[in-house]
Amino acid sequence: MSALLFCGLSLFTSCSQEKDNPAPTPAPPAAERTVFEQQFSKDLQTVADEFRLESAVKATASLKEFINALDEKAFSQQVLTVLGNMIGGLQASTLASLPEADQAAATACLQERFGMTAEELKALPGFFLVDAYKSIGKMKLTFNQGQCTVSNDADAFTIVNTNAQGQTHTIALTFNDERDGVRFFVARLSGMPVAIQLPKSIGLTMTTEQGQVLNGTINLSTIDPSQSQFISFKNSGWVGDGQLAFNVNSRQETLDLYVKHTEQQAFDLKTAFSVNGKELARVECNDMHDEYTDEQINSDEFKSLREMGPFFAASYEVLKALRGKSVDNVIVSINDNIVISGKIDDIAKSLLALGNIGKLKGTQPSFEAVDKYTQELNSLVHFEVSQINTGINAQGKLVTGLRDKQNGDYQPLVALLFEGETEAKPMFDRMSEADMANYQKIMNSFTPVAKEVTEMIDVAKQKFAAIGTAVSGYFGSL
């Protein structure tokens, strides 16, 4: 993987000989597809055996139970108590009092995130700055069937929630003592923006009656310490990374997250999933650049992603924040061996094509109905597939075919063209029954997570709507 990351796919052959193991001897052209498919079957089996997401399901279910048991009225009361303490620690600031770099970044942040005009900024008397560590880093909220207390002697910002059955769920945020974190605006309330100062890192843990199921650390900082600490997605260079570990029955599933933004208006995004230290899947989007206009990103067409399921809804929110339009280098790694690499010319339109195909699933769409979107994807997404341990590469494209011959649904299928061949052949058509069973097993592993997340979001919307109303009312009364 290190060779792939640092040398790039096109240079992999020359870089791989720096590894401990010698570079694999390339298979003769006529045998490449056979060798590739044999190794693919082995990788698929390995991933199917381990890619169960059971710890993530348990952690998500525990979080859903936590939210279900939450007394939103009692929680709202305690949030207002916390806000009262925070108000006492507010530092009033004005844009004019900031260093020049901070003035520019803070102004850009207010314009972008709150749509403030130049006239509004000129008339703005100032803003409040909250130090998260001082304000809430030492507070503890305890919930016992709706009875809440607040104390200032905890080592972390902790919420303890006991449901009707007497089961306890605890979520704790631990604020790092280091003071070189970032500042960013979190609300525009009563015409007065509020910025929050975060430490360099925040720890996250979740514990149930059965033990700890989630722990992790989230880091966020500017790329250059001399840069402004006020985060603006478009105008500040910053990097955020984190690792979440899910633990159930001695099985550890780890999710690594990384995002970086440079002054050149480019984003890098990476995420990896590992089980007991072995990486099973990784996705990277390097150099996401160009930008959608406000009209594009807020158009009804792009907003329709919200109605295409949790994945597409989340993707839309990310795109709305980052505004990145194209990606020069996309990498998908499977079992630390199979590598799909390529580029995307238009992210939102590619997602829309996938979402529209998803909406046709189960309706027995015609070949023409699906192929319209397949060809759109082919014009926007370009990729090739490689195997690290065999040294085999193949050109990839999408073709319309029957993924499930029993129900007759047409789908875009990944087709590969190996050296010496003249026609790209769909991988699904060449997979054995065992391969298909393993593939389906992997796909099915996402279903319980998606179900838990969807249900959790629905409950959270109801619970936190009341909390949001209480908070808005509080600031409106100031």
Side-chain angles (χ1 to χ4, degrees), residues 455-471:
E455 292 177 355
M456 178 181 67
I457 290 174
D458 289 341
V459 174
K461 283 180 179 179
Q462 300 172 17
K463 297 275 186 176
F464 289 103
I467 297 170
T469 299
V471 171

Side-chain angles (χ1 to χ4, degrees), residues 43-52 437-439 441-442:
D43 287 323
L44 203 60
Q45 182 69 61
T46 299
V47 176
D49 289 342
E50 294 293 338
F51 201 84
R52 298 194 298 273
N438 284 329
Y439 171 81
K441 185 178 179 181
I442 295 169

Side-chain angles (χ1 to χ4, degrees), residues 269-449:
L269 303 170
K270 301 176 187 177
T271 182
F273 180 78
S274 303
V275 174
N276 296 330
K278 178 178 175 56
E279 184 182 277
L280 293 183
R282 174 167 46 88
V283 179
E284 299 181 30
C285 294
N286 299 312
D287 196 12
M288 180 189 296
H289 60 94
D290 298 330
E291 285 192 350
Y292 294 111
T293 64
D294 288 337
E295 290 76 17
Q296 288 173 322
I297 207 71
N298 293 313
S299 68
D300 291 339
E301 181 186 27
F302 285 4
K303 283 182 178 178
S304 67
L305 286 167
R306 290 175 172 173
E307 311 302 322
M308 293 180 175
F311 168 79
F312 295 99
S315 297
Y316 173 75
E317 296 305 327
V318 171
L319 288 177
K320 188 174 181 181
L322 304 184
R323 296 183 182 273
K325 181 178 181 181
S326 59
V327 184
D328 281 352
N329 188 28
V330 178
I331 296 174
V332 179
S333 172
I334 302 170
N335 198 34
D336 212 7
N337 184 45
I338 298 176
V339 179
I340 304 170
S341 62
K343 66 176 185 176
I344 303 174
D345 295 335
D346 192 305
I347 305 169
K349 288 186 177 179
S350 299
L351 287 169
L352 284 170
L354 284 172
N356 282 317
I357 291 170
K359 288 165 65 175
L360 293 173
K361 187 175 181 180
T363 65
Q364 292 190 331
S366 67
F367 174 91
E368 291 75 18
V370 176
D371 195 57
K372 166 188 173 183
Y373 297 115
T374 301
Q375 297 310 317
E376 187 174 349
L377 285 169
N378 269 325
S379 69
L380 299 171
V381 180
H382 319 278
F383 66 98
E384 63 179 27
V385 181
S386 304
Q387 279 179 342
I388 294 177
N389 62 359
T390 65
I392 296 176
N393 302 322
Q395 289 297 317
K397 66 176 295 187
L398 296 173
V399 298
T400 301
L402 290 173
R403 175 172 291 184
D404 186 341
K405 294 181 173 59
Q406 291 183 343
N407 65 28
D409 265 354
Y410 284 104
Q411 296 285 306
L413 306 179
V414 174
L416 299 182
L417 178 67
F418 293 86
E419 185 177 348
E421 296 182 341
T422 58
E423 180 185 0
K425 300 178 181 179
M427 293 188 65
F428 267 87
D429 290 352
R430 300 181 60 82
M431 288 166 62
S432 66
E433 289 186 10
D435 288 343
M436 291 299 294
N438 284 329
Y439 171 81
Q440 197 58 52
K441 185 178 179 181
I442 295 169
M443 293 297 102
N444 289 341
S445 67
F446 290 98
T447 302
V449 176

Side-chain angles (χ1 to χ4, degrees), residues 79-92 127-131 134-136 139 189-190 192-195 471 474-478:
V79 167
L80 297 184
T81 301
V82 173
L83 287 174
N85 286 296
M86 290 172 63
I87 292 296
L90 286 177
Q91 175 187 339
F127 63 91
F128 289 130
L129 179 64
V130 178
D131 187 319
K134 288 182 179 178
S135 300
I136 63 176
M139 287 189 179
L189 302 163
S190 301
M192 182 68 71
V194 178
V471 171
Y474 173 83
F475 278 98
S477 66
L478 293 180

Side-chain angles (χ1 to χ4, degrees), residues 148-212:
C148 312
T149 59
V150 177
S151 61
N152 293 309
D153 55 359
D155 292 327
F157 177 58
T158 307
I159 302 175
V160 182
N161 193 3
T162 304
N163 63 20
Q165 290 73 41
Q167 298 174 323
T168 299
H169 295 75
T170 302
I171 293 181
L173 297 178
T174 306
F175 292 80
N176 192 310
D177 280 323
E178 295 184 59
R179 311 313 300 227
D180 58 347
V182 301
R183 299 170 183 169
F184 64 97
F185 290 101
V186 294
R188 183 184 181 185
L189 302 163
S190 301
M192 182 68 71
V194 178
I196 188 167
Q197 168 74 58
L198 289 177
K200 187 175 181 179
S201 64
I202 302 173
L204 171 69
T205 61
M206 181 170 186
T207 307
T208 69
E209 292 280 348
Q210 291 74 37
Q212 190 177 98

Side-chain angles (χ1 to χ4, degrees), residues 52-253:
R52 298 194 298 273
L53 299 174
E54 59 186 37
S55 302
V57 172
K58 177 61 178 176
T60 306
S62 297
L63 185 57
K64 186 179 71 174
E65 292 174 15
F66 175 90
I67 295 174
N68 269 324
L70 194 66
D71 184 327
E72 59 266 34
K73 292 183 179 179
F75 185 76
S76 297
Q77 294 171 357
Q78 293 311 310
V79 167
L80 297 184
T81 301
V82 173
L83 287 174
N85 286 296
M86 290 172 63
I87 292 296
L90 286 177
Q91 175 187 339
S93 300
T94 63
L95 292 177
S97 69
L98 298 175
E100 187 175 344
D102 282 348
Q103 286 187 42
T107 298
C109 195
L110 289 168
Q111 288 175 326
E112 178 188 348
R113 302 193 70 181
F114 300 103
M116 295 188 73
T117 64
E119 290 74 19
E120 286 180 308
L121 287 171
K122 186 176 180 179
L124 183 69
F127 63 91
F128 289 130
L129 179 64
V130 178
D131 187 319
Y133 188 87
K134 288 182 179 178
S135 300
I136 63 176
K138 293 292 185 181
M139 287 189 179
K140 180 177 182 179
L141 278 70
T142 302
F143 298 81
N144 188 347
Q145 296 179 352
Q147 301 303 309
C148 312
T149 59
V150 177
S151 61
N152 293 309
D153 55 359
D155 292 327
F157 177 58
T158 307
I159 302 175
V160 182
N161 193 3
T162 304
N163 63 20
Q165 290 73 41
Q167 298 174 323
T168 299
H169 295 75
T170 302
I171 293 181
L173 297 178
T174 306
F175 292 80
N176 192 310
D177 280 323
E178 295 184 59
R179 311 313 300 227
D180 58 347
V182 301
R183 299 170 183 169
F184 64 97
F185 290 101
V186 294
R188 183 184 181 185
L189 302 163
S190 301
M192 182 68 71
V194 178
I196 188 167
Q197 168 74 58
L198 289 177
K200 187 175 181 179
S201 64
I202 302 173
L204 171 69
T205 61
M206 181 170 186
T207 307
T208 69
E209 292 280 348
Q210 291 74 37
Q212 190 177 98
V213 296
L214 171 66
N215 66 81
T217 302
I218 300 170
N219 305 297
L220 186 62
S221 61
T222 53
I223 296 174
D224 181 351
S226 67
Q227 291 179 351
S228 168
Q229 295 292 293
F230 284 91
I231 286 299
S232 169
F233 279 122
K234 290 194 213 177
N235 297 293
S236 296
W238 52 273
V239 60
D241 67 88
Q243 185 179 83
L244 302 179
F246 307 89
N247 304 288
V248 172
N249 299 326
S250 300
R251 172 184 167 94
Q252 185 179 71
E253 296 172 354

